[in-house]
Amino acid sequence: MVSQASLANAIRVLVMDGVQAANSGHPGAPMGMAEIAVALWRRHLKHNPADPKWADRDRFVLSNGHGSMLLYSLLNLSGYDLPLDELKRFRQLHSKTPGHPEYGHTAGVETTTGPLGQGLGNAVGMALAEKLLASEFNRDGHRIVDHYTYVFLGDGCMMEGVSHEVCSLAGTWKLAKLIALYDDNGISIDGHVDGWFTDDTAKRFEAYGWNVVRGVDGHDVDAVDRAIASAKAQSAGPTLICCKTVIGKGSPHKAGTHDVHGAPLGKDEVAATRAALGVAEGAFEVPPEVRAAWDARVSGAERQAEWDRRFAAYRAACPELADEFERRMNRRLRADYAARSAEALQAVAAKGETLATRKSSQNAIQALAPLTPELLGGSADLAPSNLTQWKGCREIRPADIDQGGNYIHYGVREFGMAAIMNGALLHGGFRPFGGTFLMFSEYARNAIRMAALMRINPIYVFTHDSVGVGEDGPTHQPVEQTATLRMVPNLDVWRPCDSVETFVAWQLALEHRETPTALILTRQNLAHQARDAKEIAAIRQGGYVLKDCAGAAKAVIIASGSEVALAVAAQQALAEKGIPARVVSMPSPFLFERQDAAYRDAVLPRGVPRVAVEAGVTGYWRQYVGLEGAVVGIDRFGESGPAAQVFEFLGVTAARVVEAVEGVIAGSR
């Protein structure tokens, strides 16, 4: 029989060899967590290496993602499609073993974990999704959703503030199938953490409502096994297992020091570690009997086959539920979505209401939610302002969370909300959206970036989008946020000008498969813009001609959101002066840039002077107007006062647009 030490040392060998070959990486945590990994992956984790997307697999998240070689070693040893040659190419260009695990890049990686604490937030979202999906689809005698979410984390994850946000919610929601294994090694990059991290972590988590298992020897496989078993046996809440470990365990001269945290051991220390562990094999070599003991392909296939039999029985008993479960887990829209959403859009256009786009967004949600039961909405304590709730939504309440729901009150936790949304989406079965003020997107920015990087598709409802917030003043008046969000690769940022554009934005947000969407919405009412069917269809191009002029335009005015009305008013004033101008509404530059050159040139003719207008920083629009064009915007912070007065004071007016147009025309002669 292969010893537990041999199983753990196989991890240590692959880790230190991979980091040494790359001359870069973090061997300390993986070497210190080897026995914890043995206990979880060989005795508890339900997974099938041949099918990393099996719906009822346990989810595993390495929140301390700098220890990526731990995960890569486990995937390789267990039988996933991650050959040993890829471990030898650790951190090399185009390898399957990047410096931090990347979702969609490496088989078996459930989420991209880089910035510390976010993986923990994703795990909370996954555990929540499991609980909600089970309440919705399981029936007596048919438990098709029944799995755990495990997360490894270290001191860095604990120190990051997002850990407080998400773990507080996990305790409130009583997510008993969430089990976190804390690598308490007392070391971070700067050294021993007792100089800057003296929290009583166990008490902190007990205060959240977690079940805490203290003082587990992280190098005792049986002790960790017992702790995991005890966590699975209780149902009161999530569990934190505090595992005391030695960072870099096995290294004779560097174990227990920060020297092993984020640097290769060095050739001499690798050799010394091999000798200390009693490992005779060469670099990257694992004895065949040890590999055989790690291989989970047969057991994984058997577990999935057993679930397949149960799902077949479920389908026979509940065929419609089975079809819906598969649709949602495969992230497909309902067959009637396109036709029914198109009908709803026609109704919005015919109604032609003057509304704040935050209200237009709520109306869109109301119309589209029945077509997309996978919607999982929420807001960071701003539901009455973000208008993210809809008639018929079911609030998730801690007292009866087992009854499920589809609307979350996140509390004042923007970062935690965005990280949880990512996790719930990655789990499958749900399409999360979450709301807050645009100003507070700053708190959520890191998780938003991670969604864009992972090519997943949550939806962000950001209201109170400009100095139009008014009396709340410059602390709450965004000026740079829309522009900087547009700079995030693969993030589709919409700033619609009325109810019709808002509805189209929601349609496309739901249709996106690999792109998150940020909806930038107003507090103040915006006038309806009349359009024909062709112009409504053109909204999907991201930028289109909203109001053209008779004859050749002498200038093009580009606008988004609330400033489209200013552009239209300016066009009318210019017409009275005999100056023909075209108005282009550009709610989504992201999509406009994905149109072909012929379309873009048709909307923005070359050689025609351009003026852009938006109540925000001006630099972003220079790519469209050039140095010879003009931008009417705000390159300073706002002022406290009624919205109309603030706009007037800051010069975001139709009259100012007229002046700018006249100026660029004069300059082009």
Side-chain angles (χ1 to χ4, degrees):
M1 179 178 291
V2 175
S3 69
Q4 304 303 318
S6 295
L7 294 168
N9 288 340
I11 295 172
R12 292 190 172 98
V13 164
L14 293 177
V15 166
M16 67 180 183
D17 288 342
V19 173
Q20 190 63 38
N23 196 31
S24 173
H26 299 74
M31 294 175 70
M33 297 189 77
E35 283 83 8
I36 301 172
V38 171
L40 175 62
W41 278 65
R42 292 200 70 253
R43 300 188 184 183
H44 294 277
L45 193 70
K46 180 175 69 173
H47 64 123
N48 181 8
D51 186 3
K53 296 298 184 182
W54 169 31
D56 201 43
R57 69 191 182 280
D58 288 338
R59 271 57 169 181
F60 173 77
V61 176
L62 183 72
S63 188
N64 46 346
H66 55 276
S68 57
M69 270 301 297
L70 173 60
L71 179 53
Y72 300 147
S73 298
L74 290 165
L75 294 173
N76 170 262
L77 291 167
S78 296
Y80 283 79
D81 184 18
L82 189 65
L84 189 61
D85 282 347
E86 292 293 341
L87 272 65
K88 294 177 181 179
R89 298 181 61 233
F90 179 51
R91 290 192 164 213
Q92 303 309 298
L93 189 64
H94 306 313
S95 76
K96 295 294 184 182
T97 50
H100 292 78
E102 295 182 19
Y103 171 78
H105 187 73
T106 309
V109 172
E110 299 280 6
T111 180
T112 299
T113 51
L116 292 174
Q118 287 210 54
L120 178 56
N122 298 163
V124 172
M126 292 174 185
L128 176 65
E130 192 276 343
K131 194 176 190 75
L132 297 177
L133 211 63
S135 71
E136 186 173 353
F137 285 97
N138 286 352
R139 294 295 183 268
D140 289 343
H142 299 283
R143 294 187 61 82
I144 62 163
V145 181
D146 187 12
H147 54 265
Y148 288 85
T149 299
Y150 298 98
V151 55
F152 283 2
L153 66 151
D155 289 312
C157 296
M158 289 296 194
M159 285 185 263
E160 288 287 0
V162 68
S163 70
H164 164 75
E165 296 184 30
V166 299
C167 293
S168 173
L169 278 169
T172 296
W173 292 333
K174 300 178 174 60
L175 300 179
K177 288 188 173 180
L178 173 62
I179 300 175
L181 293 110
Y182 168 36
D183 178 30
D184 182 13
N185 62 41
I187 297 291
S188 66
I189 291 176
D190 281 358
H192 291 272
V193 301
D194 54 12
W196 48 86
F197 183 49
T198 59
D199 304 12
D200 188 327
T201 299
K203 286 184 178 178
R204 170 187 163 194
F205 275 74
E206 286 171 349
Y208 293 148
W210 285 54
N211 168 50
V212 178
V213 182
R214 301 167 180 252
V216 176
D217 181 352
H219 301 302
D220 183 334
V221 173
D222 292 333
V224 177
D225 174 30
R226 289 192 296 271
I228 296 171
S230 71
K232 294 167 71 174
Q234 61 84 44
S235 59
T239 296
L240 177 71
I241 301 174
C242 299
C243 300
K244 196 64 182 174
T245 64
V246 175
I247 191 170
K249 175 75 171 177
S251 171
H253 307 107
K254 295 187 177 182
T257 74
H258 70 278
D259 293 332
V260 76
H261 174 93
L265 271 66
K267 291 182 179 179
D268 291 343
E269 188 66 9
V270 166
T273 302
R274 270 191 160 74
L277 296 175
V279 173
E281 290 75 21
F284 293 102
E285 292 181 4
V286 175
E289 67 275 12
V290 176
R291 278 204 170 274
W294 265 111
D295 196 326
R297 287 174 291 186
V298 173
S299 60
E302 290 172 348
R303 283 180 164 182
Q304 185 168 355
E306 190 275 331
W307 182 85
D308 288 342
R309 288 190 290 272
R310 288 192 286 116
F311 190 77
Y314 178 76
R315 181 180 292 284
C318 314
E320 292 183 358
L321 279 175
D323 287 344
E324 178 68 1
F325 178 79
E326 288 189 326
R327 179 191 73 80
R328 285 171 56 171
M329 293 304 290
N330 288 319
R331 301 176 185 177
R332 298 192 305 264
L333 289 170
R334 278 176 31 170
D336 61 348
Y337 166 83
R340 291 180 62 184
S341 67
E343 291 173 3
L345 173 59
Q346 290 176 354
V348 171
K351 203 167 187 179
E353 292 182 291
T354 292
L355 296 171
T357 50
R358 60 172 175 163
K359 179 60 179 175
S360 300
S361 170
Q362 185 181 46
N363 291 346
I365 296 169
Q366 189 66 56
L368 295 169
L371 309 181
T372 49
E374 59 266 38
L375 274 183
L376 181 62
S379 176
D381 202 51
L382 288 168
S385 295
N386 298 149
L387 302 183
T388 43
Q389 291 183 288
W390 66 99
K391 293 177 183 177
C393 72
R394 295 173 294 115
E395 297 181 354
I396 294 169
R397 299 290 186 184
D400 57 357
I401 192 169
D402 287 330
Q403 301 304 309
N406 59 3
Y407 189 85
I408 302 171
H409 292 282
Y410 286 98
V412 188
R413 300 181 179 95
E414 292 85 4
F415 192 0
M417 175 179 70
I420 288 169
M421 287 167 57
N422 286 350
L425 198 152
L426 289 164
H427 176 277
F430 292 101
R431 187 68 187 282
F433 72 87
T436 187
F437 289 171
L438 176 58
M439 191 69 250
F440 305 146
S441 66
E442 297 288 356
Y443 290 128
R445 182 65 65 100
N446 212 312
I448 295 169
R449 182 179 187 272
M450 297 300 281
L453 176 64
M454 287 189 279
R455 305 189 71 81
I456 58 176
N457 52 4
I459 302 168
Y460 310 105
V461 178
F462 294 137
T463 69
H464 297 60
D465 73 329
S466 72
V467 295
V469 171
E471 291 86 349
D472 277 343
T475 63
H476 282 52
Q477 293 173 356
V479 290
E480 76 274 25
Q481 281 65 38
T482 300
T484 56
L485 284 168
R486 288 179 180 138
M487 294 170 67
V488 178
N490 196 45
L491 176 63
D492 189 6
V493 180
W494 275 79
R495 189 167 183 254
C497 74
D498 67 358
S499 292
V500 176
E501 285 190 357
T502 303
F503 196 94
V504 173
W506 263 104
Q507 284 181 309
L508 285 165
L510 291 169
E511 293 167 22
H512 279 322
R513 290 186 61 86
E514 296 185 342
T515 301
T517 302
L519 305 176
I520 312 298
L521 308 171
T522 67
R523 176 191 184 189
Q524 71 273 28
N525 285 344
L526 302 186
H528 170 72
Q529 301 293 333
R531 303 172 183 82
D532 60 26
K534 183 178 179 181
E535 289 163 345
I536 291 174
I539 296 171
R540 284 178 164 260
Q541 312 309 311
Y544 64 103
V545 179
L546 174 65
K547 302 290 182 185
D548 217 344
C549 54
K554 291 187 177 180
V556 176
I557 307 171
I558 310 168
S560 79
S562 52
E563 288 67 67
V564 169
L566 298 183
V568 172
Q571 181 199 44
Q572 294 168 350
L574 288 163
E576 292 172 1
K577 295 184 174 189
I579 303 174
R582 167 183 286 185
V583 174
V584 169
S585 177
M586 195 176 289
S588 170
F590 177 88
L591 289 182
F592 182 73
E593 290 301 320
R594 280 152 182 76
Q595 308 310 310
D596 60 35
Y599 177 83
R600 298 196 306 271
D601 288 345
V603 173
L604 301 175
R606 294 177 183 271
V608 180
R610 302 171 186 175
V611 171
V613 53
E614 185 173 68
V617 293
T618 62
Y620 177 84
W621 290 103
R622 284 291 167 189
Q623 64 186 306
Y624 293 108
V625 304
L627 295 178
E628 68 281 2
V631 184
V632 177
I634 305 170
D635 287 317
R636 51 156 289 177
F637 296 117
E639 293 284 342
S640 181
Q645 294 178 25
V646 174
F647 276 115
E648 182 75 28
F649 174 76
L650 294 173
V652 184
T653 63
R656 179 70 187 89
V657 177
V658 170
E659 291 176 10
V661 170
E662 292 175 327
V664 298
I665 291 174
S668 67
R669 291 172 183 164

